[in-house]
Amino acid sequence: MKIACIVGARPNFMKIAPILEEIEKHPDLDPILVHTGQHYDYEMSQVFFEDLDIPEPHVHLGVGSGSHAIQTGKIMMAFEEVVVEHKPDLVLVVGDVNSTLACSLVAAKLWIPVAHVEAGIRSFDRTMPEEINRLLTDVISDYLLTPTEDANENLKKEGISDRKIFLVGDVMIDTLLKYKDKASSDSMLSDLGLEKHSYILMTLHRPNNVDVESNFVKILNALAEIQRLIKIVFPIHPRTKARIEEFGFGNMVSGMENLIIIDPLGYLKFMGLMVNSRFVLTDSGGMQTETTVLNIPCLTMRENTERPETIREGTNTLVGNDTHLIIEESTKILDGYGKTGIYPEIWDGHTAERIVKTIAHIS
Ligand code: UD1
């Protein structure tokens, strides 16, 4: 059975790693790893292959950046040729990036079954490109491999047949549990001259937060206050860096003495910073679940989340881009009132095994 496994952007790599490792254990399964090239900088892509021992892709589409339509269209055109040439029996996609949707569409139209890992999660916010990608990918997928009961419920409400839905758990947590000790002992902390729990780890890159100048200012105003209380380590996404220049925020940012801006990091260095942080401030999707599993408080700078279990039972709190709320909730955590929590039992580090069992009908 030939399985085309698709990756394209940073959040895909930690999801595909354990799946490929599991596929390799089955001699009758023949994986073809396809990298669309949506992300192409060393720090956004190659470093993850090195950190997580992901084999070199068999095929690289090299599409690069572009508007949503250009990027999606280019991936579709290039991937169609790959499907025609390699004739996979199944196309496996992960997450919710443009590469996920583009490759699912190509496969569905060529009558190749699609397996979607991380199916069913919903923010119910259609202004997010990821929400559109999730909805459309799920509707054309044959195997909907979900991380939570919530995701199953969402799919059922959308009229998707029960027999296509498989609760397998969160595959990103497989990678977290496998690498967290190794990451924790990484030299990043000492390289930056930091003590454990003496800093916040921040990420920020959502279009709504950084492409809209007035929203970006609100977040920067909050950071200006918080960095008076504690250091903030900020591996910066290329989009955010570009906006700081474009909006002329350079002076404001460099004026914050305790805001430590660094280049994007690979998995181990980044995780090393996360596990040892006081708390996390982010607008990312995956970090909400990772912090809940690590029992580290997380403030999410969004109005909604596709990960409601991290709010209900985990360590996550939504703060939007509201300056006062970000400061208030940060202060609360620093005063010792951060959330603690639990997470679903099925996030047990064995999700990849369940995925491969399901798609390959191995009993
Ligand atoms: C994409 C995903 C998002 C994910 C994020 C993680 C979609 C719709 N969005 O958003 O869900 O959270 O990745 O990083 O797929 N760039 C570089 N080098 C790179 C890649 C990008 O400089 O290696 C720059 C380009 O100028 C590009 C911009 O970053 O225009 C944004 O990249 P893009 O892939 O369009 O979307 P992300 O914001 O990274």
Side-chain angles (χ1 to χ4, degrees):
M1 180 179 185
K2 216 184 237 189
I3 308 176
C5 300
I6 313 301
V7 289
R10 186 169 60 182
N12 293 159
F13 305 127
M14 58 293 268
K15 295 172 193 170
I16 211 73
I19 299 173
L20 280 177
E21 192 184 333
E22 191 58 31
I23 289 178
E24 296 290 351
K25 292 181 190 162
H26 298 279
D28 47 332
L29 303 180
D30 178 14
I32 312 166
L33 181 58
V34 179
H35 191 325
T36 66
Q38 177 174 349
H39 285 173
Y40 43 87
D41 286 349
Y42 175 81
E43 302 85 11
M44 301 292 285
S45 175
Q46 183 59 28
V47 65
F48 290 85
F49 283 73
E50 293 166 15
D51 278 2
L52 303 175
D53 285 322
I54 304 173
E56 277 299 302
H58 299 87
V59 184
H60 206 298
L61 307 181
V63 297
S65 300
S67 69
H68 287 276
I70 290 174
Q71 194 170 59
T72 310
K74 274 181 159 177
I75 297 170
M76 287 183 70
M77 287 161 69
F79 184 58
E80 190 176 50
E81 286 181 22
V82 174
V83 173
V84 170
E85 185 191 332
H86 291 269
K87 300 185 178 48
D89 301 295
L90 179 78
V91 171
L92 182 140
V93 296
V94 297
D96 54 18
V97 301
N98 287 341
S99 305
T100 311
L101 173 62
C103 294
S104 318
L105 263 175
V106 169
K109 292 207 167 181
L110 292 173
W111 301 351
I112 315 266
V114 177
H116 183 206
V117 174
E118 214 179 69
I121 63 173
R122 297 287 181 268
S123 65
F124 302 102
D125 174 0
R126 291 195 183 183
T127 65
M128 287 176 72
E130 294 83 359
E131 182 75 354
I132 306 292
N133 293 343
R134 289 178 203 124
L135 281 160
L136 298 181
T137 303
D138 283 343
V139 98
I140 53 176
S141 290
D142 301 273
Y143 296 90
L144 295 127
L145 301 147
T146 62
T148 56
E149 288 286 359
D150 284 50
N152 282 33
E153 287 310 310
N154 293 335
L155 293 173
K156 285 180 201 164
K157 280 186 201 145
E158 288 169 19
I160 290 177
S161 154
D162 255 351
R163 75 192 157 72
K164 290 187 181 175
I165 306 172
F166 304 90
L167 178 61
V168 291
D170 190 327
V171 78
M172 208 165 41
I173 303 306
D174 286 17
T175 304
L176 174 66
L177 297 179
K178 178 171 173 186
Y179 287 97
K180 88 172 159 51
D181 291 341
K182 188 172 178 194
S184 173
S185 56
D186 185 87
S187 63
M188 198 62 203
L189 234 61
S190 51
D191 293 351
L192 291 172
L194 296 167
E195 300 290 327
K196 286 185 179 183
H197 314 302
S198 71
Y199 62 92
I200 301 170
L201 176 64
M202 181 174 91
T203 72
L204 177 68
H205 74 281
R206 294 251 160 237
N208 182 50
N209 282 336
V210 302
D211 292 354
V212 182
E213 189 172 348
S214 55
N215 289 344
F216 202 169
V217 168
K218 288 198 273 180
I219 292 172
L220 289 177
N221 285 339
L223 299 183
E225 288 305 314
I226 298 165
Q227 59 93 40
R228 288 182 216 280
L229 308 171
I230 184 165
K231 285 182 179 151
I232 304 172
V233 181
F234 180 21
I236 193 164
H237 185 284
R239 170 196 289 281
T240 311
K241 194 174 180 182
R243 294 301 169 266
I244 288 177
E245 278 164 33
E246 193 181 313
F247 296 145
F249 292 156
N251 283 344
M252 182 175 183
V253 167
S254 56
M256 297 186 211
E257 229 170 77
N258 277 328
L259 178 67
I260 305 164
I261 299 187
I262 55 178
D263 285 335
L265 297 171
Y267 190 80
L268 294 175
K269 288 192 182 303
F270 187 77
M271 258 321 145
L273 284 177
M274 193 193 292
V275 296
N276 292 311
S277 67
R278 182 77 184 76
F279 70 92
V280 163
L281 187 57
T282 188
D283 58 3
S284 136
M287 286 170 73
Q288 300 173 59
T289 54
E290 288 163 340
T291 45
T292 276
V293 170
L294 294 168
N295 211 15
I296 294 171
C298 178
L299 300 182
T300 298
M301 295 182 281
R302 289 174 43 190
E303 300 295 337
N304 48 55
T305 177
E306 57 288 320
R307 299 301 201 161
E309 65 283 351
T310 65
I311 306 279
R312 230 175 25 231
E313 290 145 31
T315 60
N316 192 17
T317 306
L318 291 181
V319 290
N321 46 37
D322 178 328
T323 310
H324 295 291
L325 196 55
I326 299 171
I327 299 171
E328 192 181 303
E329 290 295 330
S330 297
T331 315
K332 231 194 241 177
I333 298 172
L334 295 177
D335 288 343
Y337 299 105
K339 272 169 99 171
T340 56
I342 53 165
Y343 59 91
E345 262 174 44
I346 198 166
W347 296 1
D348 59 358
H350 295 283
T351 292
E353 284 167 40
R354 287 185 285 267
I355 290 171
V356 173
K357 233 183 205 174
T358 307
I359 58 177
H361 310 284
I362 300 162
S363 52

